[in-house]
Amino acid sequence: MHAEVGDQIVVGGPTVGTPGRDGEVIALHDADGTPPYGVRWSDAGRTTVFFPGPDAHVRHLHDGTGTSRHEQRPYGAIAR
C-alpha cells in the first residue's frame, strides 16, 4: 500500500452493510509512502497514526499534475 499526503484512507465496516470510516492522510512516516500514516478521521476529526489492515484501501485524490483534488469534495465525503 502506498499513499501521499492528501489521499483518502477508506476502512470497511466490521460487518457487511455496516458503514466503515474514512480519513485524510496528513502525514507520511516513511518517505516512500508506505504505512504507517498520520490520518485525520472524518467522523471525529481526530488524528491518529494508522497501520492499515486488509480491510483498508487508499483512494488517490490527485490529478495528473500531482495537485491534490481533496479540496474539490466536501470534507469527509467518500469519493466514488
Side-chain angles (χ1 to χ4, degrees), residues 1-3 9-10 32-35 37 50-58 60:
M1 179 176 287
H2 289 75
I9 295 284
V10 180
D32 65 356
T34 58
Y37 308 116
F50 178 66
F51 294 86
D55 60 341
H57 64 276
V58 175
H60 300 285

Side-chain angles (χ1 to χ4, degrees), residues 3-9 23-27 40 58-77 79:
E4 297 177 17
V5 172
D7 285 348
Q8 182 182 38
I9 295 284
E24 177 187 5
V25 176
I26 60 168
R40 180 183 311 119
V58 175
R59 290 191 188 265
H60 300 285
L61 302 177
H62 296 84
D63 63 20
T65 66
T67 304
S68 174
R69 294 183 305 170
H70 178 73
E71 293 79 23
Q72 297 176 6
R73 64 181 178 83
Y75 182 73

Side-chain angles (χ1 to χ4, degrees), residues 8-59:
Q8 182 182 38
I9 295 284
V10 180
V11 181
T15 59
V16 174
T18 305
R21 67 191 305 207
D22 68 295
E24 177 187 5
V25 176
I26 60 168
L28 299 176
H29 291 267
D30 291 314
D32 65 356
T34 58
Y37 308 116
V39 176
R40 180 183 311 119
W41 298 103
S42 63
D43 57 352
R46 291 187 156 169
T47 301
T48 63
V49 175
F50 178 66
F51 294 86
D55 60 341
H57 64 276
V58 175
R59 290 191 188 265

